[in-house]
Amino acid sequence: MKLRLCSGLTKPGLLLVHFMPPSFHSLSYGHGGLGLNVRCAIASRRLSSNPPKRERLRSSSSRRDKDKAKRDSPSSQSLYARPSLLEMNKEKAANRARVYDFLRGVGIVPDELDGLELPVTSDVMKERVDFLHKLGLTIEDINNYPLVLGCSVKKNMVPVLDYLGKLGVRKSTFTEFLRRYPQVLHASVVIDLAPVVKYLQGLDIKPVDVPRVLERYPEVLGFKLEGTMSTSVAYLIGIGVARREIGGILTRYPEVLGMRVARVIKPLVEYLEGVGIPKLAMSRLIEKRPHILGFELEDEVKRNVQTLREFNVREVYLPSVIAQYPEIMGMDLRPKLEAQRKLLSSVIDLNPEDLGGLIERMPQFVSLSEAPMVKHVGFLKECGFSVEQTREMVIGCPQVLALNIGIMKLSFEYFRKEMRRPLQDLVDFPAFFTYGLESTVKPRHKRIVKKGIKCSLAWMLNCSEEKFEQRMSYDTIDIEEVESGPASFDMSTLMQPEREEEEESEYEEEEDDDEDEEFETKRSNGRFRQ
């Protein structure tokens, strides 16, 4: 090994030793062994840590040149030229102002949109407004719920509407659907809508009926599954509504799902129970007419019950009046009764105090229109009945104001030509017109003639087939069986456990039938017992 040393070092310095690995040619195998070259150098350095002034100036100038080069380079532009947060907020505010100007230009008031994330350009907002217009929504509709403008067409509106369409909701109902419940456009199909649909099916609403339920009551899509919906159903079952009837009830009147038990359903049920309707009978009424749960207790039900009292309906008959015609609780009753009283007073000289008895026998009378009643009164007069006789017949059997006149004519012709009875028999028993001519009147009249019995119409008709057969075995007529008091409603018929077989789909639109048909009396045997 050879070391080259530098002598004469006057100041301490740094000894630099460069280790030179031997090359292939520098390797020697002599007596001296392996030969290595080592170069040593000493870097002279002053003890002072500050460089000379000239060097500092040169270094500072070099740094300035480098900084300028960095600023001028493209890579540095993206880092140092980025806008500040203040500038970004100003730009965002300017974009929102342009969007607001567009909305005001088309008539939309954007005051409620301040906290809502909106598109950055008016073009995107225009796309949303145009899409809502295509769905049938007007500017007024949008102003009623301007938050709908926060929904993206592709991310919110289209997926929701596609889902509703796949369920079976008709596109023709989309406009009204969104007017009633525009919040659906904010919903998630998977998280919000699908679980509600599954819950409805779990309540025995058939899949084919689900879209009609949603069309009728779209607000149900916003309810919590374990909230009002579950408690209202549980209460109905608790008062005696059959579990298998729940699906049909909710199909016909899904608004039940949104009713609070403590504030709406329970107070109504308890009030009607206090009027005299047993709870079990009330449950049957709900099964048949679930819409009665929607009647306002204070403004409608209680007010109408008091009106019935004022029009001379006796307290003992109030339960039967309501049970026969539950809709009487939810209508504007007083004007109807006043109009009916005025009409009958003019055509048959009806006394005001007799109106209550007429309502007791046929509560549906309150909904009859003027023209049919005048027509029926005219028919009775044409048959030869006096005004006094006609009045007596109407009071005794109000159904004569609502029956099919064509059938009444056939029955009267048979009565006059074949039975050949005096008109007074019909005055005494006007319910004759309510019995089927072919099924009841003719067969029984022939039996009476053949046996040679002379009896009243009431004795012949006002009984079941079994009872009539018994009467045919009598040697004499029991006078007690000829009673012909006012027709009464048997409340126990509402509490029978029998149920009809469920149809494939129980959904029915609530429609008002023609009044002549709605109050057409079924001509079955003993239909109106007296």
Side-chain angles (χ1 to χ4, degrees), residues 178-193:
L178 295 176
R179 282 175 180 162
R180 289 187 56 180
Y181 190 60
Q183 296 90 335
V184 71
L185 295 179
H186 294 286
S188 165
V189 171
V190 176
I191 299 175
D192 301 319
L193 305 185

Side-chain angles (χ1 to χ4, degrees), residues 304-322:
N304 287 341
V305 169
Q306 181 58 33
T307 299
L308 291 173
R309 294 188 178 108
E310 295 174 3
F311 279 80
N312 302 314
V313 175
R314 289 167 289 182
E315 199 73 25
V316 68
Y317 285 101
L318 281 175
S320 66
V321 168
I322 295 174

Side-chain angles (χ1 to χ4, degrees), residues 39-110:
R39 295 181 181 178
C40 298
I42 296 177
S44 177
R45 180 175 296 175
R46 296 180 180 273
L47 292 177
S48 175
S49 60
N50 295 327
K53 182 176 182 180
R54 181 177 299 173
E55 293 180 3
R56 291 202 305 271
L57 292 176
R58 186 184 304 112
S59 176
S60 176
S61 176
S62 176
R63 284 198 301 273
R64 285 197 300 271
D65 294 341
K66 291 180 180 180
D67 292 342
K68 184 175 183 303
K70 289 180 178 180
R71 288 195 299 270
D72 294 340
S73 65
S75 60
S76 65
Q77 288 290 337
S78 61
L79 179 63
Y80 292 99
R82 183 173 298 169
S84 65
L85 181 60
L86 178 60
E87 292 173 342
M88 293 174 64
N89 288 336
K90 288 181 178 180
E91 184 179 0
K92 185 177 180 180
N95 292 335
R96 180 174 287 265
R98 286 190 289 270
V99 171
Y100 278 15
D101 289 340
F102 164 75
L103 294 176
R104 292 189 184 97
V106 297
I108 298 174
V109 181

Side-chain angles (χ1 to χ4, degrees), residues 84-301:
S84 65
L85 181 60
L86 178 60
E87 292 173 342
M88 293 174 64
N89 288 336
K90 288 181 178 180
E91 184 179 0
K92 185 177 180 180
N95 292 335
R96 180 174 287 265
R98 286 190 289 270
V99 171
Y100 278 15
D101 289 340
F102 164 75
L103 294 176
R104 292 189 184 97
V106 297
I108 298 174
V109 181
D111 296 347
E112 298 182 25
L113 303 177
D114 289 344
L116 190 67
E117 184 177 353
L118 297 177
V120 296
T121 65
S122 57
D123 291 339
V124 178
M125 181 58 73
K126 183 178 183 302
E127 179 188 6
R128 296 184 182 182
V129 173
D130 291 343
F131 188 81
L132 294 173
H133 282 329
K134 291 179 181 178
L135 294 174
L137 299 182
T138 64
I139 295 298
E140 182 180 359
D141 296 328
I142 298 175
N143 279 327
N144 289 335
Y145 188 73
L147 297 181
V148 73
L149 296 174
C151 297
S152 168
V153 173
K154 295 181 180 179
K155 295 180 180 180
N156 300 104
M157 300 184 189
V158 171
V160 168
L161 296 176
D162 282 348
Y163 176 72
L164 294 176
K166 291 178 181 178
L167 285 177
V169 177
R170 294 167 294 180
K171 291 184 179 180
S172 59
T173 66
F174 278 177
T175 301
E176 186 61 27
F177 192 106
L178 295 176
R179 282 175 180 162
R180 289 187 56 180
Y181 190 60
Q183 296 90 335
V184 71
L185 295 179
H186 294 286
S188 165
V189 171
V190 176
I191 299 175
D192 301 319
L193 305 185
V196 174
V197 172
K198 184 177 180 181
Y199 183 81
L200 294 177
Q201 294 176 349
L203 294 174
D204 294 337
I205 298 177
K206 297 178 175 60
V208 69
D209 292 329
V210 168
R212 302 298 170 262
V213 170
L214 298 181
E215 289 174 3
R216 174 163 182 159
Y217 192 51
E219 293 88 345
V220 72
L221 289 173
F223 293 156
K224 294 182 179 179
L225 302 184
E226 301 303 324
T228 305
M229 290 197 292
S230 59
T231 55
S232 59
V233 171
Y235 178 80
L236 293 181
I237 295 175
I239 65 173
V241 174
R243 178 65 180 83
R244 60 183 177 182
E245 299 292 330
I246 292 295
I249 291 172
L250 299 180
T251 298
R252 296 192 301 273
Y253 194 68
E255 289 85 349
V256 172
L257 293 170
M259 294 179 177
R260 294 186 178 276
V261 172
R263 295 181 183 179
V264 180
I265 303 178
K266 185 177 180 181
L268 176 63
V269 171
E270 292 180 346
Y271 174 77
L272 294 177
E273 190 177 5
V275 170
I277 301 178
K279 185 173 292 185
L280 186 56
M282 187 65 195
S283 68
R284 297 297 176 263
L285 288 178
I286 293 173
E287 291 174 4
K288 297 177 180 178
R289 295 285 189 271
H291 61 273
I292 65 177
L293 293 174
F295 295 157
E296 292 289 339
L297 179 58
E298 297 294 333
D299 295 338
E300 293 180 336
V301 179

Side-chain angles (χ1 to χ4, degrees), residues 417-431:
K417 295 180 179 179
E418 300 296 332
M419 302 178 74
R420 298 180 181 179
R421 288 172 172 262
L423 290 180
Q424 187 60 40
D425 284 3
L426 291 177
V427 176
D428 295 336
F429 190 69

